[in-house]
Amino acid sequence: MRAGNLGSKVVAPRLWKTELLMSGSSDFQEIEEIAGAGVFTKKLFRDDRGVLGKVFAESAFRSSGTRHHVSEVFWSQSRRDVLRGMHYQEGQDGQSKTVTVLLGEICDVLFDVRRASPTFGRHFSTILCEIDSRTISIPPGVAHGFKVLSETAITLYSVSTEYDPGLERGINSQTIGFEWPGGESIISERDLLLPPFSPAESNLLYEGQQ
């Protein structure tokens, strides 16, 4: 067998479809329940090799009027009924976030704790899964959490500022007035000890032009 010929199957080029996917604009829909939050939707490209999708495009954010500069990208893997949240970062380094599911299914929840926000004290929930192509955009000062509904889930995040443990804040997920789906929630001791929602202790991270 000659070098470079390892019996790999030759797949006919389909670049034109890929180019359409990578260059096309994302659909954007505002989340009415949370001021400044939104959902970006991008078509997935599927063929016999698998799936290709885009989770972030700066141009899509600019055209929607949403601001998000990517400083860090990270991911988590969680098993069924794991509940992570509700977290946000305080101060001038408050983070905007994007959330996308790469594997499995989650119930994703936002909770507005910005005192000056017109949607203060409201929550929004949606189901994110690997078969759709939605990315949730979360403005600074909005608490975020999710619960896994599938056997396992891999969730991808991007954040606008680097994580600072001194500025990290959170709210107990059982005190936001939301009934989490699924079985009995699996919550870390750290998240169980988060304080309940208190309007007096909410943050000021809201800018009316978001």
Side-chain angles (χ1 to χ4, degrees):
M1 181 180 294
R2 290 186 300 174
N5 182 7
L6 300 180
S8 300
K9 180 180 178 181
V10 176
V11 179
R14 303 183 184 183
L15 294 180
W16 66 274
K17 288 186 178 181
T18 304
E19 289 170 355
L20 285 175
L21 168 72
M22 301 310 290
S23 62
S25 61
S26 298
D27 292 332
F28 175 77
Q29 182 176 0
E30 293 183 355
I31 296 174
E32 295 181 357
E33 293 86 346
I34 307 290
V39 180
F40 290 90
T41 303
K42 185 74 176 180
K43 290 183 178 179
L44 299 178
F45 170 56
R46 301 176 184 273
D47 64 12
D48 52 2
R49 300 167 297 169
V51 182
L52 174 66
K54 184 192 296 187
V55 297
F56 176 79
E58 185 177 359
S59 59
F61 274 74
R62 285 200 307 268
S63 63
S64 71
T66 304
R67 292 172 293 169
H68 181 65
H69 170 76
V70 178
S71 289
E72 288 185 327
V73 179
F74 55 101
W75 60 275
S76 67
Q77 181 175 4
S78 310
R79 60 190 177 95
R80 186 186 300 275
D81 290 325
V82 164
L83 197 167
R84 299 179 183 267
M86 305 287 295
H87 306 138
Y88 65 96
Q89 188 157 295
E90 180 65 285
Q92 294 300 314
D93 287 325
Q95 297 171 324
S96 60
K97 298 180 182 179
T98 67
V99 180
T100 307
V101 170
L102 302 182
L103 176 68
E105 182 178 78
I106 67 173
C107 175
D108 201 62
V109 178
L110 314 184
F111 186 68
D112 195 345
V113 291
R114 302 165 296 175
R115 284 200 295 271
S117 169
T119 55
F120 172 65
R122 296 176 65 180
H123 67 258
F124 165 82
S125 67
T126 189
I127 303 300
L128 296 179
C129 61
E130 63 187 86
I131 62 173
D132 67 25
S133 55
R134 293 182 301 148
T135 294
I136 303 296
S137 170
I138 308 170
V142 171
H144 171 258
F146 68 86
K147 184 174 179 178
V148 178
L149 304 180
S150 53
E151 194 66 27
T152 188
I154 296 177
T155 306
L156 182 76
Y157 320 79
S158 73
V159 293
S160 60
T161 61
E162 294 191 11
Y163 170 70
D164 185 337
L167 297 177
E168 184 181 27
R169 301 289 184 270
I171 296 171
N172 191 296
S173 59
Q174 310 305 299
T175 68
I176 64 172
F178 178 72
E179 186 174 343
W180 294 89
E184 183 176 356
S185 298
I186 302 170
I187 306 174
S188 69
E189 182 178 0
R190 175 174 170 271
D191 283 353
L192 283 172
L193 294 176
L194 289 174
F197 171 59
S198 171
E201 297 177 1
S202 300
N203 70 82
L204 298 173
L205 286 174
Y206 177 74
E207 299 178 28
Q209 70 270 25
Q210 285 196 57

